[in-house]
Amino acid sequence: MNTVRWSLVRRIFEELLELPEDEREAHLQREAGDDEALRREVRALLAADDSPPLLTRLLEPELARLGVDASRAPGLEGARIGRYRLESLVATGGMGSVWRARQDEPARIVAIKTLRAGLHGTQATQRFRFEADVLARLAHPHIARIFEAGTWSEAGGDATTHVPWFAMEYVADAVDLLAYARSRALDVDAKLSLFLQVCDAVRHGHERGVVHRDLKPGNILVGTDGAAKVIDFGVARAVGDDPSTLAPQTVVGQLVGTLQYMSPEQVGGEPDAVGTASDVYALGLLLFELLCGERAHELSGRALPEAAATIRLAPVRDLRAVDPTLSDDLAWIVARAVEKEPGRRYGSVSEFMADIERHRRHEAVLAGPPSASYRVSRFVRRHRVAVGSAASVLLAVLAALVTVSFSLSRERAQRERSERVADVLRDALLTVRPERDGGDAKVVDLLDDLAVRVDRQLAGSGAAEADVRRALGEAYGALGRTLEAEQQLRRVVALWEGLVPPDDVRRIDAEIKLAGTLRGSPRRDEGAALLEEALARLGPRAASDDASRRLRAAALVELSSLREEQGRLDDALALAGQAVDALTADASRDDRARALARLGGAARALDRPEQAQAAYVALVDALVAATPDADATRDAGAGREDGSPSATSRADVASDELAHAATRLLAGLDAALGDDAGDAPDASARAARVELLTHALDVATFLLDRDRVDLAEGLLRRMLPAVRATWGPVQRNTATVEAALARCLSASGPEDPPPAPARLAEAEALVRSSLAALDGALDPEHVTWVTRLDLLGRILWLRGDLAGAERTYAEAAERARVLPDDSTLRALALVHHGSMLSLQERFDEAEPIVREGWRRLRNVLGPGHVETRRAAEDLALVHLRAADGEFDPSAAVRRLREGADFALDALGEAHPRTLQLLSDLSAQLLEVGDPTGARATAERAWRARSATRESGDELSALLLDRLGSCLAATDAADESARAYAAMAAVTAREHGRVPSPALVEAGLGALLDGRPADAAALAPHWDEVATLLRDVVADARRAWEQRPEREQELELEEAVARSNDAVDTLRAVGRADDALVLLGELADALRALYGPGHEHLAVLSANLALCLSDLGRIADARAASEAALAIMRARAGDGSAATLPYLRLVSELAEDDGDLEAAERVQVDVLALAVRVLPSDAGALADDRARLADLRTRLGEGGGDVAAQPRP
Amino acid sequence: MTEPGPATLLLNRLRDGDADAAAELFPLVYDELHRLAARDMQRQPAGHTLQPTALVHEAFLKLVGRTGGASDRAHFFRLAAQAMRSVLVDHARGRRRAKRGGDALRVTLDEPLVAESSDARLPDLLDVDEALAELAAVDEPLVRIVELRFFAGLTAAEAADVLGVSSRTVERGWRTARAWLLARLSGGDADGDDRGGSA
């Protein structure tokens, strides 16, 4: 059999099926010609076509047996594989089974693992062989050894099956790690030593390049001898393997069981990120469970998606909260191992083990409470000292102190002072005893130690004490310990007060430093006062003395920052200007840059972009001139400028200036940072780098403010590695850079397509990392939380994660509650949160929240502000969508009325959202039997629309359509026709593909309006009109593939509405067959968009039933009507008002079919429902009663008593 | 929308054209179907027959969740139908082996006895499986339809949704495939290419 031959056979066969039996032979002769074999084949198919359902007979017994056998083991017992006889099944799963087997020589029991025979494809086989290879590579007392591997061939009836297997060490009477610890009631130390065996096995694997990837209790067996064995390297992978060729999970055992120990990066589907750190994570979870007997995450009973979310987002439980008798150290160790971010876990299993060993020896552990460990790591990075040596960390701290102390000493008593400082340092050094601090003590503790020592040993030493305390204060400041820093600097200021005159530079310098630590504290007013006083003292000297001038500028910069914090923005700007002016041409570039950066910041705070831009451009000049390749950069920049077309307007000049500055800054960063992503080589280079990066961050943020996203992105990308290396991964500046870059990556205008998925994924990772950095480092009430969560919410929304976005915005709104009442951020957080709820169809929750956000915006910004109006649109949309989701028309009317009232008030009657609400309201009013109200509403909407200049678009067509149907419903046929004609004209213009607008106008108008006489007069053009109608549907289908879902729905729904009208008319003119085609296409489109079971399909099926009935296919028609009813019942609920017309249809078609009994039966339901849902004076109710009576009369039951209750 | 489950992630990769994802997902689905079959049977009275369609739908909810989109459903059901085929065929194969004593060596010896006359033997699911393998060589889409309709028990409309074609196409294809299978299995020979006209 070949493809061409078969497709010929198939085509002819299928053609024959369409023909009456007596015509088939002739057709076959025609098609097959003299190809006798072909004829025979097709005849064989035809013969088989009528055969009894053999296939079902084959399937059912197999299904019955499968159910019975499914839980039983595959029948391999007693089978012999190689030198082994399988004795009993140990475990089985989708990939294969594990058997206990006996080997004769040497006589021993082994475990045989087999791959399931039915697994097609080579992937699974490859993976299975890979496991055998992996095990062969590993030789460790705590890893199950492999003895032999091979492939067993099983001859079946017609083919031979090949089953790969391998034999490995059998752990007799083994139980899993946790069961073992429980059954033996191990104490903490015994548990730890057992756990260390496991760690050592995993470490062994890592050293040989094998990551286990599926560590869980069931994969760690402990025999009666108490020795642990790690098994099941089924999903192991070699470090550096191409991750795409590997499975993310094992399938032996239940999936949730496996998920339980998966790391966030595994669950997150980032195969690239899965490495040794994932094993560290799994080990951490195991240790948690081993120690306290409970799971670190409780996932059982949760749906898989929810479980995955828990792993990725929810913090692991605190060990001490489960078992308070365990030590802090152990809790920290576990917490460190199970950090969400791989980079924050122990760097290796060895490090993990070393910390456990440290704990067992009662030494200080490397892990600390999370925030402390972050600070330590940051500090250590700053000083470029390898982690793992407390002594070297301390030395770095002390070396910095010594440098500072000595450089400041200009007194005659220098030598004496230095000696006393040296004494302190020596004492501090002596406290580092390798046996205690062999790993790492905590740097903060060391500083605290040093502070106590200074109290004891340097008290009264005057300048020496001041110098050391100043250094201490700065060290505390660098660690984020502002209170301690403030405390030390206060002492310094007090010391200098007693030692030197008021205008001494050292005293003023200390005061400026102290004021700096008061920034952001409630004592900032004191800081400002301090600076004002210092400036007054400096005044007389500043003109002549260089050092004084610098101090003056520094004090002005600091004071400007404080003023800004105090809300005195004009003063802040004036002071920053003074600072710039205070510096002469020969001032150091750092001083200059600082003053200019402050000036830019102050101008931004006042929303003066031009002034800010001037300051930042000057700042770039200062910075780039300060880098080694400045001249080259400047030349390169100038060269580029010469080549570019000259700017034509002031705005262009300004924007070019900005682009130019950004380019030069980027070149400056290149020159200063080089290719090295690591930290700067020495202290002064580091200081220069910190300055440069701080200022570059200012410039980048400004660019972002000015919507120069690409420029900002270029800078931020260049900066990020250096920022991370310089400040550490979890510092506030790093967090700011990450957040700014995330903003760039997720930026898109309202009309733009959303950013690419990869950019959004990166943005999410960045903003999450930045949020993690804020944790503990930032006051929980700080406004940055709100802006950053808002950013994350937006990114998640763009990524399509509505639930995540909703949760994030909810948190933003919650955090924003501490903001002032007039905060727009607070209002926006509410609007965003509510909109996400609305998108999840949680309208009742969404409405009050969005409304509250809008109300706040209106109060703060005024009703006409763009943000207020945007919020109002969002609220209108909530109403629209909520009404859309209502099955009960009167509930929809209530919602729409409320929404329309609001929109009329907040947005005005010509706003598209208002018009949509009015249009939907009008449609629903018709639905509930209020044609007059519907007509008034539709007329109002159309009047408002026709008064605008955009009255020729799709929305206009929609409004006209509504108006038309309302007019028709109120018996205003002529007006209705005119409305439809206008609508057709609009549609024709919009779609711009109609050769003869007049024809279409007439044709569509006649069709849609239900004027069969006119439509019939169009008979010569019928095909064109029909084509046009089909095009409407086809357009909607195309739109489905191209547009965002919401728009697709609108489009398609419009097509449904129009086609329903068209079907009515097509039937009226006797073209039910055309209508059938139209309905078929529409149904396909609907199913593609909504899947089966949407209520539109119910409408469609009902129409289908009518057409079929027209065509005399009553049985088919009845089936279609019943299908329609079933869909609607499933959708709206049995007994819903929405099912009423469908019930009626089913009954009527039954009557048409002559099945009066069925008709009567259904009509009873009709009446029961009508009595319940219709007003008692409704005309339809009377009709329903009359019809039932009629049916009963015809059935001979007498109809007189129908007016009473329907039969039960 | 809740967070996607691991099966969803695999489905995403599948949708992105990552063929390996199918290989990874297959055992998951296979295992789940098997487990559900066992559980379903324990809950039901004796004599009850499993409903493949219930199994695959439940496996979908279990592995993908209620949030799976239309495209997830399509990919999943296509795979689940293949997995259901494997579950049933493997089971049938296991029984055939059990009848022969469960020993590979003896099977080889007994071969001529058992396979005495394929005409006399009633066809079973393994024959269907083999026939389908043959059909797949010339008409892969038709085999997909059989898997969905026959092994996974989906309705024509559901299968049409999965394959992105009309119900009519599915119905027509299913009828053709059924006829071909019956012709092929009842000893007849619908293709006639290599065995000549025995029909």
Side-chain angles (χ1 to χ4, degrees):
Chain A
M1 195 162 66
N2 68 53
T3 311
V4 177
R5 180 78 172 177
W6 166 249
S7 65
L8 187 62
V9 172
R10 185 177 168 185
R11 181 178 63 76
I12 298 175
F13 172 66
E14 290 179 358
E15 279 168 8
L16 292 183
L17 289 181
E18 304 286 317
L19 296 174
E21 277 183 42
D22 53 349
E23 293 171 24
R24 286 181 181 172
E25 191 53 38
H27 185 76
L28 181 57
Q29 292 295 346
R30 225 174 11 254
E31 290 293 320
D34 55 0
D35 187 342
E36 174 55 33
L38 179 60
R39 280 205 298 273
R40 201 167 52 231
E41 284 163 44
V42 175
R43 280 199 204 103
L45 288 182
L46 279 174
D49 183 48
D50 290 332
S51 297
L54 170 68
L55 287 178
T56 317
R57 286 208 320 264
L58 289 182
L59 188 62
E60 279 183 355
E62 200 62 52
L63 281 168
R65 282 189 296 261
L66 169 66
V68 176
D69 295 349
S71 51
R72 289 215 293 262
L76 273 177
E77 269 108 346
R80 183 166 269 286
I81 289 184
R83 297 181 285 159
Y84 312 93
R85 179 171 293 279
L86 303 188
E87 292 191 337
S88 61
L89 187 72
V90 179
T92 186
M95 290 283 277
S97 308
V98 179
W99 299 82
R100 181 179 187 272
R102 184 176 294 279
Q103 180 180 1
D104 298 335
E105 215 173 311
R108 61 181 169 189
I109 300 294
V110 301
I112 299 264
K113 191 163 174 171
T114 57
L115 184 68
R116 198 169 59 73
L119 273 186
H120 305 296
T122 56
Q123 271 282 324
T125 317
Q126 269 175 17
R127 212 170 296 134
F128 188 82
R129 297 223 164 96
F130 175 72
E131 183 184 356
D133 289 348
V134 163
L135 285 176
R137 244 197 274 179
L138 304 177
H140 189 276
H142 298 298
I143 295 176
R145 215 154 20 114
I146 187 164
F147 300 126
E148 192 180 356
T151 300
W152 174 61
S153 299
E154 180 200 29
D158 306 288
T160 305
T161 320
H162 300 285
V163 180
W165 58 272
F166 62 78
M168 60 180 178
E169 197 175 344
Y170 184 82
V171 188
D173 299 319
V175 291
D176 78 52
L177 178 72
L178 298 177
Y180 181 84
R182 257 198 315 276
S183 66
R184 305 283 168 119
L186 299 184
D187 64 15
V188 171
D189 202 55
K191 285 174 179 173
L192 289 178
S193 74
L194 186 61
F195 182 71
L196 285 169
Q197 293 180 8
V198 177
C199 287
D200 200 57
V202 177
R203 181 195 54 76
H204 176 84
H206 290 184
E207 278 171 4
R208 273 147 196 79
V210 179
V211 182
H212 188 290
R213 305 208 309 161
D214 191 25
L215 290 166
K216 55 184 178 183
N219 281 345
I220 297 161
L221 302 180
V222 186
T224 43
D225 57 352
K229 297 271 183 196
V230 177
I231 59 163
D232 202 351
F233 282 76
V235 291
R237 96 179 229 220
V239 176
D241 268 0
D242 176 5
S244 65
T245 62
L246 297 156
Q249 58 234 336
T250 179
V251 289
V252 176
Q254 287 191 18
L255 186 63
V256 170
T258 302
L259 201 61
Q260 184 81 48
Y261 298 92
M262 268 194 202
S263 60
E265 62 270 22
Q266 277 168 301
V267 172
E270 311 162 45
D272 288 325
V274 178
T276 55
S278 308
D279 282 354
V280 170
Y281 178 90
L283 286 170
L285 290 187
L286 280 173
L287 180 56
F288 184 104
E289 210 169 329
L290 186 60
L291 287 173
C292 71
E294 289 186 25
R295 285 177 171 173
H297 283 303
E298 198 39 76
L299 300 180
S300 47
R302 297 194 186 200
L304 284 181
E306 198 190 336
T310 304
I311 291 170
R312 281 175 48 204
L313 303 171
V316 169
R317 296 161 76 190
D318 179 5
L319 184 62
R320 297 244 309 146
V322 182
D323 183 352
T325 65
L326 293 167
S327 72
D328 278 335
D329 278 1
L330 282 174
W332 292 338
I333 288 175
V334 169
R336 176 83 187 270
V338 299
E339 284 277 8
K340 298 279 175 221
E341 260 186 58
R344 290 207 187 135
R345 296 173 204 148
Y346 287 105
S348 65
V349 178
S350 308
E351 281 182 23
F352 191 4
M353 294 169 73
D355 232 12
I356 296 173
E357 296 283 13
R358 243 174 248 128
H359 166 75
R360 295 177 86 194
R361 291 197 303 266
H362 308 290
E363 293 169 11
V365 300
L366 193 62
S371 58
S373 79
Y374 296 165
R375 280 197 226 102
V376 171
S377 74
R378 182 178 56 189
F379 190 87
V380 167
R381 271 166 200 272
R382 279 169 62 86
H383 293 277
R384 205 185 176 84
V385 174
V387 181
S389 160
S392 50
V393 171
L394 186 67
L395 277 172
V397 175
L398 297 180
L401 287 174
V402 172
T403 318
V404 174
S405 307
F406 280 72
S407 68
L408 277 177
S409 50
R410 288 185 190 137
E411 296 281 328
R412 246 190 256 153
Q414 178 181 350
R415 171 173 298 179
E416 185 206 344
R417 208 154 48 102
S418 309
E419 279 169 8
R420 299 190 65 168
V421 171
D423 285 345
V424 177
L425 302 182
R426 217 176 10 257
D427 283 1
L429 259 179
L430 284 173
T431 65
V432 183
R433 280 172 299 141
E435 65 275 15
R436 204 198 84 183
D437 300 310
D440 263 280
K442 290 157 200 132
V443 177
V444 176
D445 290 348
L446 288 172
L447 288 180
D448 290 347
D449 241 29
L450 199 56
V452 172
R453 237 166 258 283
V454 172
D455 286 344
R456 277 208 300 268
Q457 298 184 18
L458 282 182
S461 72
E465 185 185 351
D467 285 349
V468 175
R469 285 199 191 281
R470 180 182 184 277
L472 255 179
E474 289 198 310
Y476 274 127
L479 289 174
R481 294 283 178 121
T482 46
L483 277 178
E484 285 90 341
E486 182 186 331
Q487 198 186 357
Q488 292 297 332
L489 289 166
R490 277 188 193 285
R491 301 279 293 272
V492 178
V493 169
L495 282 167
W496 288 126
E497 266 174 20
L499 290 169
V500 294
D503 62 346
D504 187 282
V505 288
R506 288 167 301 180
R507 179 167 160 185
I508 294 175
D509 176 70
E511 286 165 347
I512 296 173
K513 288 273 184 309
L514 174 57
T517 65
L518 294 176
R519 215 194 303 154
S521 92
R523 293 173 296 287
R524 61 184 173 212
D525 293 351
E526 182 197 339
L530 203 60
L531 288 168
E532 277 178 329
E533 209 223 323
L535 281 165
R537 276 183 272 134
L538 266 175
R541 292 181 46 174
S544 56
D545 172 358
D546 191 46
S548 304
R549 260 201 309 274
R550 290 190 53 195
L551 276 182
R552 186 176 139 74
L556 286 165
V557 165
E558 206 59 70
L559 186 56
S560 167
S561 297
L562 283 167
R563 286 281 183 259
E564 191 175 311
E565 276 192 10
Q566 289 170 319
R568 293 165 62 176
L569 301 183
D570 290 309
D571 291 352
L573 184 63
L575 287 162
Q578 287 175 33
V580 174
D581 292 343
L583 294 164
T584 47
D586 59 339
S588 93
R589 278 165 184 150
D590 281 355
D591 289 343
R592 226 184 137 60
R594 252 172 259 155
L596 286 165
R598 182 80 281 273
L599 183 61
R604 264 173 72 191
L606 268 173
D607 198 16
R608 294 195 188 161
E610 294 84 10
Q611 223 170 332
Q613 179 166 331
Y616 285 124
V617 170
L619 171 63
V620 171
D621 278 341
L623 289 175
V624 177
T627 59
D629 293 334
D631 290 342
T633 310
R634 206 185 281 276
D635 291 347
R640 268 197 294 277
E641 196 180 43
D642 291 344
S644 64
S646 63
T648 51
S649 73
R650 218 190 123 102
D652 282 349
V653 173
S655 103
D656 272 358
E657 188 185 40
L658 210 49
H660 184 53
T663 315
R664 293 188 49 228
L665 180 54
L666 194 57
L669 286 169
D670 277 340
L673 303 174
D675 297 331
D676 179 20
D679 205 350
D682 60 58
S684 70
R686 199 155 46 235
R689 179 170 292 194
V690 166
E691 290 276 318
L692 176 64
L693 290 172
T694 312
H695 297 318
L697 175 57
D698 278 349
V699 175
T701 330
F702 176 67
L703 288 167
L704 207 44
D705 273 0
R706 306 292 297 149
D707 281 335
R708 304 301 298 264
V709 175
D710 47 338
L711 297 178
E713 185 180 337
L715 284 178
L716 291 164
R717 272 206 191 284
R718 184 66 186 83
M719 291 163 62
L720 190 58
V723 164
R724 282 185 173 148
T726 306
W727 276 305
V730 292
Q731 202 262 357
R732 255 171 86 171
N733 288 329
T734 312
T736 309
V737 172
E738 286 169 338
L741 189 51
R743 261 175 76 193
C744 294
L745 290 166
S746 61
S748 70
E751 305 298 321
D752 300 341
R759 283 174 70 84
L760 289 174
E762 193 187 351
E764 181 183 342
L766 283 166
V767 74
R768 281 197 192 283
S769 155
S770 122
L771 276 167
L774 292 185
D775 207 5
L778 193 66
D779 185 354
E781 304 196 342
H782 199 282
V783 63
T784 303
W785 282 110
V786 182
T787 53
R788 212 141 294 175
L789 285 167
D790 197 69
L791 175 61
L792 177 59
R794 177 185 150 77
I795 292 166
L796 291 174
W797 169 63
L798 285 169
R799 296 199 73 185
D801 178 3
L802 292 182
E806 189 262 309
R807 276 195 304 275
T808 308
Y809 279 131
E811 193 188 339
E814 184 55 37
R815 297 236 190 207
R817 287 162 67 99
V818 301
L819 297 179
D821 239 13
D822 62 353
S823 158
T824 50
L825 268 178
R826 187 171 166 180
L828 285 173
L830 288 169
V831 173
H832 293 158
H833 177 214
S835 299
M836 290 305 125
L837 287 168
S838 163
L839 283 176
Q840 293 184 89
E841 309 197 341
R842 291 158 65 182
F843 305 114
D844 290 329
E845 293 163 75
E847 200 270 347
I849 296 178
V850 180
R851 185 180 286 278
E852 173 64 12
W854 167 78
R855 197 186 56 75
R856 284 171 174 276
L857 286 171
R858 190 196 53 191
N859 293 348
V860 179
L861 301 172
H865 191 278
V866 57
E867 291 291 355
T868 313
R869 286 180 69 83
R870 227 176 260 166
E873 281 186 42
D874 287 343
L875 185 52
L877 196 58
V878 173
H879 286 293
L880 263 179
R881 290 181 50 96
D884 222 25
E886 293 284 359
F887 283 114
D888 174 7
S890 27
V893 165
R894 268 196 306 283
R895 290 220 189 243
L896 288 166
R897 226 192 264 289
E898 200 184 329
D901 287 347
F902 167 78
L904 282 166
D905 179 43
L907 294 167
E909 69 173 3
H911 193 281
R913 284 265 185 277
T914 313
L915 294 174
Q916 263 172 346
L917 281 160
L918 288 173
S919 160
D920 282 12
L921 176 58
S922 150
Q924 291 296 340
L925 284 171
L926 265 191
E927 199 82 354
V928 297
D930 177 6
T932 326
R935 178 175 167 178
T937 309
E939 279 172 345
R940 174 170 194 183
W942 174 243
R943 259 201 316 278
R945 186 62 180 176
S946 54
T948 67
R949 276 187 300 161
E950 300 123 290
S951 58
D953 61 357
E954 285 184 46
L955 178 58
S956 304
L958 176 71
L959 295 175
L960 280 167
D961 183 25
R962 289 273 177 269
L963 182 58
S965 44
C966 291
L967 290 167
T970 50
D971 293 326
D974 289 350
E975 289 169 69
S976 163
R978 270 199 299 282
Y980 274 126
M983 174 199 130
V986 166
T987 316
R989 252 203 318 281
E990 263 301 293
H991 293 276
R993 53 172 158 68
V994 180
S996 157
L999 168 73
V1000 174
E1001 202 170 312
L1004 276 181
L1007 259 182
L1008 298 180
D1009 193 30
R1011 282 176 289 139
D1014 290 356
L1018 284 166
H1021 307 292
W1022 189 258
D1023 288 343
E1024 278 175 84
V1025 175
T1027 307
L1028 197 74
L1029 276 170
R1030 275 200 285 274
D1031 281 354
V1032 173
V1033 179
D1035 271 2
R1037 290 192 66 177
R1038 264 196 298 283
W1040 176 67
E1041 284 149 15
Q1042 289 159 7
R1043 295 213 183 174
E1045 205 162 289
R1046 178 67 197 155
E1047 284 179 38
Q1048 295 161 16
E1049 283 179 33
L1050 289 175
E1051 185 108 358
L1052 198 54
E1053 275 169 30
E1054 222 176 299
V1056 168
R1058 280 193 225 162
S1059 308
N1060 280 337
D1061 293 338
V1063 164
D1064 286 347
T1065 314
L1066 284 169
R1067 286 180 53 221
V1069 297
R1071 302 283 299 223
D1073 44 350
D1074 279 339
L1076 272 184
V1077 174
L1078 192 64
L1079 285 170
E1081 290 184 26
L1082 203 57
D1084 282 351
L1086 281 171
R1087 263 194 292 272
L1089 182 56
Y1090 297 118
H1094 192 273
E1095 66 259 31
H1096 284 334
L1097 280 165
V1099 179
L1100 248 148
S1101 302
N1103 270 325
L1104 196 64
L1106 291 170
C1107 290
L1108 288 165
S1109 147
D1110 287 351
L1111 293 170
R1113 293 161 60 183
I1114 292 291
D1116 290 343
R1118 282 183 75 181
S1121 71
E1122 275 154 21
L1125 177 62
I1127 293 173
M1128 207 56 205
R1129 275 184 168 154
R1131 197 67 190 178
D1134 208 355
S1136 154
T1139 60
L1140 188 53
Y1142 297 89
L1143 270 173
R1144 287 201 187 105
L1145 181 63
V1146 170
S1147 169
E1148 282 161 15
L1149 287 173
E1151 185 188 344
D1152 291 350
D1153 199 16
D1155 186 355
L1156 287 183
E1157 279 172 18
E1160 190 265 354
R1161 214 166 39 241
V1162 179
Q1163 187 65 18
V1164 168
D1165 295 342
V1166 169
L1167 189 55
L1169 185 54
V1171 165
R1172 203 155 52 71
V1173 300
L1174 294 180
S1176 57
D1177 57 350
L1181 187 56
D1183 292 347
D1184 286 334
R1185 269 209 186 90
R1187 182 155 181 277
L1188 182 57
D1190 174 53
L1191 284 169
R1192 289 199 176 158
T1193 312
R1194 285 161 62 194
L1195 277 168
E1197 293 187 12
D1201 58 341
V1202 188
Q1205 287 304 304
R1207 290 191 312 179
Chain B
M1 203 171 99
T2 42
E3 297 281 336
T8 314
L9 295 167
L10 286 171
L11 283 171
N12 288 342
R13 283 173 49 202
L14 197 59
R15 198 187 318 148
D16 295 341
D18 179 354
D20 290 342
E24 290 169 20
L25 192 50
F26 187 86
L28 281 184
V29 180
Y30 182 99
D31 210 25
E32 190 63 34
L33 288 173
H34 211 265
R35 222 175 49 72
L36 290 172
R39 195 216 52 192
D40 194 38
M41 211 55 200
Q42 282 156 12
R43 284 190 190 166
Q44 301 295 338
H48 161 83
T49 302
L50 293 170
Q51 298 301 317
T53 172
L55 292 184
V56 296
H57 278 93
E58 193 169 351
F60 177 75
L61 287 182
K62 193 98 186 146
L63 293 173
V64 182
R66 282 174 201 286
T67 56
S71 161
D72 284 347
R73 289 181 68 86
H75 279 103
F76 182 87
F77 280 113
R78 214 174 300 184
L79 203 65
Q82 287 169 33
M84 198 68 218
R85 173 178 167 188
S86 283
V87 167
L88 287 164
V89 168
D90 287 351
H91 186 253
R93 183 176 290 127
R95 259 187 329 102
R96 208 190 253 183
R97 179 175 54 228
K99 263 190 291 190
R100 293 168 194 167
D103 186 310
L105 200 60
R106 240 169 58 213
V107 169
T108 320
L109 286 175
D110 288 352
E111 189 73 5
L113 293 174
V114 178
E116 43 185 337
S117 153
S118 63
D119 293 341
R121 185 169 62 84
L122 265 178
D124 65 15
L125 225 44
L126 295 180
D127 300 308
V128 175
D129 188 51
E130 281 156 25
L132 284 177
E134 207 174 295
L135 183 58
V138 294
D139 199 342
E140 179 88 26
L142 213 51
V143 176
R144 291 286 96 82
I145 291 177
V146 174
E147 281 169 348
L148 289 166
R149 290 283 281 123
F150 180 60
F151 288 105
L154 298 192
T155 65
E158 284 171 325
D161 280 343
V162 170
L163 296 171
V165 300
S166 73
S167 311
R168 236 181 88 71
T169 305
V170 170
E171 271 308 357
R172 206 169 38 217
W174 172 224
R175 195 166 167 188
T176 306
R178 208 169 41 197
W180 182 84
L181 278 171
L182 287 171
R184 174 80 179 71
L185 294 179
S186 54
D189 184 9
D191 55 71
D193 229 24
D194 47 356
R195 270 172 261 195
S198 64

